[in-house]
Amino acid sequence: MTRIRLNGKEIDADKDRPLIAAALANGVDVPHYCYHSGLTPVGSCRMCQVEVTEGERPARVVAACRTPVSEGMQVETQTPAAQAARRECLEFLLKNHPLDCAICDKAGECQLQDYTYAEGQSEGLSAEPRRKLDKRRSLGEVILLDQERCILCSRCVRFFEEVEGQAQLTIAGRGANSTIQTFAGRDLSGNYQGNVADLCPVGALTLKSFRFQARVWNLTKRASTCGECSRGCAISVEVLRQGQVKRIRPRYEALVNRWWMCDTGRFAFEGATLSGRLEGAQLRGYSGLEDCSTSEALAAVATGFAVHTNHVFIASPWLTVEEGRDLVELAQAVGAVLRMVSPEESGLADKILNTGDPCPNRRGLADVGIESASAPECLQLCTGAETATLVGERVVNLVGREALSEHDGKSRLFVFDTQALDAARVAVQVGVASWVERSGTWVNADGHESPIAAARSAPAGVCGTQGLLDDLRALVATCAPGSVSR
Amino acid sequence: MVIVKRKQLTLGERLYLPEIVRGLSITVRKMFAKRATRQYPEEPLVTTAVTRGQPRLAMNPDQTLRCVSCGMCEAACPAYAITIDAHEVEREIEREPEHFEIDMLRCILCGFCEEACPKEAIWMSDELELADYTRASLVYKLDRLVRPVSQLQGRIDYIEEINRRWNN
Ligand code: SF4
Ligand code: SF4
Ligand code: SF4
Ligand code: FES
């Protein structure tokens, strides 16, 4: 640790990190574009200039991201010289910047907007026309590049080189003709492309799927955890008008994903925004599955547990630890065999984040005592038992939707899933909330506990799994085996 | 106990007729004075450029909307009356509202949207009437909001004039 004086206050600075890191860590916002804590500092944008005095030497203006801290250094961020240096730098960045904020998806979370406002650089000096470049250059499936908006900070270039491990972008051309380009015009590839849209401090690299989808200040953001693999990246789920999930972005979590996440997780909600939700409950009557109230459905399930023997519970790997615990208790009360259905590896495993195991809470459920079993094993258990209860989102798909609807065993199926299963053996089914609609805890592959939080409310008539399990347990307690005649 | 003291009437007042004449004279005078009321709806309100009627969206002569759905009016609206969804279109400025709704029942005609708009797309028109049988039909969609620029020109000129005066 090194003692330095920042804006008149003594602080401790990490001697291996640049001056800007110390300032940011101590709540002093030094404007910056090219610096990012997750990337090597290059000092190209010159936005982070501050005034430094060391010993007897006269004060000088330096780039804080390329200046190491030294004992007794005195740093001032708001001196006239430092401010003038930053304003001039902004003047040049804005020289060719289009007046696009009105249509720019970055507006509202754009560092160019923020620092232009903060530094008071609202009028330019130059009268020449702005440079015209390609405003809609596709860089593959995920990313769209607007060359006019780019400020050439090279964060995106460094991301692919340093984090993804394979250079995919470069700054081509010289001087005023520099632009960001892929090598030989190839599309970007890999499972981490989406990160550059978060990383880009301006609206030059944007997500195609988020294009014109929402103004960012209208999004409600909830801290949650990604459910697409057992890494469990910390994310923020962003919802428009309490309804649609519009975007998922990584949240900094030092022990898990740091600043990044993979595209599989980033875009998973698009499938999970869930058409064909099972809203409410259904009970088999004389003419097939009929709508009923949730309490009627639960009563039927409890009666089913009482009048039959030989029960099987299949848990979805998306259940939270809390739900898992409830399910274990319920299984004990009923005397059922309980397994978590364990899908095959997704084949997406890489050295960066994705573990390839698509179960976000495998470890958490194992910790509460739920063993896992492969889909064929689960199917066999289901067909062999008198009643099979499938609990949690995607559980039907994981066990095998086709197989479950075709199976000709004797078992009755009690289904608690987000989507309906149209099968002859289904006796009762109840719609449950998905992971963006409930709260709880998941434990990732390394044993790190992360919260999931309801980002929006479930569709009308859909209940949380935990509430259902609680109600069911109460019902089971009142109609113990034998108390209901066959 | 409250004692109410009655006013002692003068002789003139007690004679009754002079007061009738005085009252009638007011009536007759007012019959020929300039009227303060109008025979609405036969006689609609006379509007000027200063009239702050319901907000409307301007459409250029080439049939394109000026609005790029930046959401500034939506954010400025104190009554949460505006809801916008954008989509991409083939034109120079590639963004346009797919849905643009103003809930006229919420709108308080404050004009903040007009002031917030960076594209001179939303203007307070001279349209003031608002009546229908359902609430839903008073949530105006694009089809009921768009007006040719020419129809809003009076207001546009007036606001430009005001801005000029303030900025100099
Ligand atoms: S990148 Fe930022 S400053 Fe540039 S147009 Fe977009 S929002 Fe505006
Ligand atoms: S595209 Fe964005 S991240 Fe890449 S250099 Fe330009 S401004 Fe920086
Ligand atoms: S006039 Fe005022 S209340 Fe009405 S839509 Fe505009 S900003 Fe909202
Ligand atoms: S942040 Fe220091 S030069 Fe860009």
Side-chain angles (χ1 to χ4, degrees):
Chain A
M1 281 295 159
T2 313
R3 290 295 277 180
I4 65 169
R5 217 178 162 76
L6 175 66
N7 287 350
K9 230 177 69 192
E10 288 280 328
I11 58 162
D12 279 325
D14 182 346
K15 68 173 180 352
D16 299 325
R17 315 243 359 242
L19 173 54
I20 192 171
L24 295 176
N26 283 279
V28 174
D29 187 18
V30 176
H32 57 282
Y33 295 121
C34 66
Y35 175 76
H36 185 278
S37 351
L39 304 171
T40 322
V42 290
S44 69
C45 74
R46 312 314 283 178
M47 211 25 223
C48 61
Q49 299 181 86
V50 295
E51 201 170 296
V52 166
T53 324
E54 275 168 299
E56 295 302 302
R57 284 197 283 166
R60 61 207 168 100
V61 173
V62 299
C65 70
R66 292 283 284 168
T67 306
V69 289
S70 65
E71 194 67 39
M73 179 186 236
Q74 301 202 18
V75 187
E76 290 291 332
T77 60
Q78 299 299 349
T79 60
Q83 279 175 331
R86 293 201 296 263
R87 265 211 290 276
E88 270 158 35
C89 161
L90 266 177
E91 167 86 37
F92 281 109
L93 290 178
L94 293 170
K95 162 69 193 72
N96 275 314
H97 199 80
L99 286 168
D100 264 358
C101 301
I103 60 164
C104 180
D105 279 326
K106 199 73 171 191
E109 54 188 20
C110 170
Q111 291 182 26
L112 194 54
Q113 279 186 330
D114 292 351
Y115 292 134
T116 302
Y117 185 74
E119 302 288 314
Q121 178 61 25
S122 61
E123 262 167 62
L125 299 173
S126 86
E128 289 81 25
R130 289 181 156 79
R131 182 174 59 165
K132 287 265 168 266
L133 291 170
D134 195 349
K135 287 190 73 63
R136 274 190 263 186
R137 170 165 297 202
S138 168
L139 298 185
E141 296 277 286
V142 180
I143 296 288
L144 194 77
L145 166 67
D146 184 325
Q147 292 182 329
E148 286 185 1
R149 292 183 197 152
C150 173
I151 56 168
L152 296 169
C153 69
S154 84
R155 280 188 185 186
C156 52
V157 175
R158 281 172 286 148
F159 171 80
F160 283 114
E161 285 169 1
E162 297 171 12
V163 181
E164 222 236 0
Q166 171 201 8
Q168 296 203 46
L169 285 173
T170 183
I171 298 181
R174 267 177 285 169
N177 295 325
S178 310
T179 50
I180 285 291
Q181 289 190 0
T182 52
F183 293 106
R186 252 177 284 143
D187 283 350
L188 295 179
S189 61
N191 203 12
Y192 289 84
Q193 301 170 37
N195 291 302
V196 294
D198 300 332
L199 211 48
C200 182
V202 294
L205 297 173
T206 49
L207 294 178
K208 283 186 174 174
S209 66
F210 187 63
R211 188 157 169 83
F212 302 166
Q213 287 302 299
R215 303 260 79 189
V216 296
W217 53 86
N218 286 337
L219 296 171
T220 321
K221 300 167 176 117
R222 283 275 179 291
S224 191
T225 300
C226 174
E228 292 311 302
C229 85
S230 58
R231 176 77 58 202
C233 292
I235 56 168
S236 127
V237 181
E238 309 192 350
V239 177
L240 182 65
R241 298 184 206 118
Q242 276 91 53
Q244 272 174 300
V245 180
K246 284 290 183 190
R247 176 168 80 167
I248 285 180
R249 295 206 299 164
R251 231 169 0 103
Y252 179 76
E253 178 56 69
L255 297 173
V256 185
N257 55 322
R258 304 173 78 217
W259 302 268
W260 328 117
M261 75 182 295
C262 75
D263 291 349
T264 314
R266 186 185 294 268
F267 300 119
F269 70 92
E270 287 171 357
T273 307
L274 306 165
S275 46
R277 282 293 285 273
L278 171 56
E279 292 175 16
Q282 293 180 328
L283 191 59
R284 184 157 303 277
Y286 293 111
S287 57
L289 285 169
E290 292 160 4
D291 288 345
C292 67
S293 71
T294 311
S295 48
E296 281 169 333
L298 292 183
V301 174
T303 315
F305 290 156
V307 298
H308 299 285
T309 48
N310 193 357
H311 310 289
V312 165
F313 283 13
I314 305 294
S316 146
W318 272 265
L319 290 187
T320 62
V321 172
E322 295 81 357
E323 289 158 354
R325 236 177 251 137
D326 281 6
L327 196 62
V328 168
E329 279 179 35
L330 183 64
Q332 276 163 359
V334 176
V337 177
L338 170 58
R339 294 285 181 274
M340 180 196 91
V341 52
S342 167
E344 283 167 16
E345 293 273 304
S346 63
L348 292 166
D350 55 42
K351 291 200 180 61
I352 308 170
L353 290 172
N354 201 310
T355 58
D357 172 11
C359 306
N361 197 24
R362 179 190 294 280
R363 174 108 177 224
L365 293 180
D367 287 350
V368 299
I370 304 181
E371 282 173 48
S372 46
S374 69
E377 284 166 355
C378 288
L379 189 67
Q380 209 172 11
L381 282 171
C382 287
T383 45
E386 279 189 44
T387 79
T389 310
L390 301 135
V391 187
E393 65 188 287
R394 309 190 216 187
V395 64
V396 168
N397 285 345
L398 292 182
V399 176
R401 183 168 288 273
E402 300 267 287
L404 278 173
S405 35
E406 278 161 16
H407 99 78
D408 46 8
K410 285 282 161 288
S411 70
R412 287 164 178 72
L413 298 181
F414 302 143
V415 179
F416 296 82
D417 198 344
T418 51
Q419 277 158 325
L421 170 63
D422 187 19
R425 302 305 313 175
V426 175
V428 179
Q429 60 183 348
V430 182
V432 297
S434 73
W435 67 274
V436 287
E437 296 153 1
R438 36 188 240 272
S439 305
T441 314
W442 282 339
V443 181
N444 83 352
D446 306 320
H448 181 87
E449 284 187 16
S450 347
I452 65 164
R456 63 152 192 218
S457 44
V462 172
C463 306
T465 320
Q466 207 175 355
L468 288 173
L469 291 175
D470 284 344
D471 293 352
L472 196 53
R473 211 172 52 215
L475 282 171
V476 165
T478 56
C479 49
S483 69
V484 181
S485 59
R486 283 191 180 221
Chain B
M1 198 168 67
V2 183
I3 296 166
V4 180
K5 249 199 168 164
R6 297 203 179 277
K7 186 176 174 255
Q8 283 295 316
L9 297 180
T10 63
L11 180 68
E13 282 166 344
R14 267 182 291 153
L15 274 181
Y16 188 63
L17 255 173
E19 285 302 297
I20 287 288
V21 173
R22 199 158 72 94
L24 272 177
S25 75
I26 293 174
T27 311
V28 172
R29 224 183 314 131
K30 287 290 169 193
M31 272 167 67
F32 297 101
K34 190 166 173 284
R35 248 174 286 160
T37 54
R38 275 177 301 116
Q39 287 299 317
Y40 184 82
E42 288 78 18
E43 273 176 56
L45 180 70
V46 184
T47 58
T48 66
V50 188
T51 310
R52 219 166 52 209
Q54 294 164 6
R56 291 289 182 265
L57 291 175
M59 186 173 63
N60 292 320
D62 64 357
Q63 307 291 307
T64 53
L65 285 180
R66 286 188 174 185
C67 174
V68 298
S69 58
C70 69
M72 289 298 121
C73 53
E74 190 182 19
C77 179
Y80 302 108
I82 306 182
T83 315
I84 313 172
D85 284 320
H87 69 163
E88 189 161 3
V89 288
E90 286 302 324
R91 64 167 187 187
E92 203 201 332
I93 299 177
E94 64 270 30
R95 189 176 163 124
E96 207 186 66
E98 182 178 15
H99 306 290
F100 195 116
E101 283 181 12
I102 304 184
D103 187 341
M104 286 302 168
L105 294 171
R106 303 201 71 143
C107 176
I108 53 169
L109 310 182
C110 64
F112 280 17
C113 46
E114 178 186 67
E115 207 172 317
C117 181
K119 295 286 172 189
E120 307 188 344
I122 193 165
W123 294 101
M124 305 309 280
S125 66
D126 54 7
E127 295 166 47
L128 281 158
E129 283 163 9
L130 190 68
D132 211 332
Y133 294 102
T134 64
R135 281 165 184 276
S137 63
L138 291 170
V139 178
Y140 280 20
K141 310 249 162 35
L142 271 178
D143 55 338
R144 294 177 77 175
L145 289 173
V146 176
R147 296 283 178 276
V149 176
S150 55
Q151 209 172 310
L152 301 163
Q153 200 59 49
R155 178 73 180 179
I156 299 177
D157 294 342
Y158 168 72
I159 296 290
E160 270 171 12
E161 173 58 31
I162 297 274
N163 287 343
R164 236 193 322 276
R165 245 189 279 163
W166 274 106
N167 293 335
N168 293 331

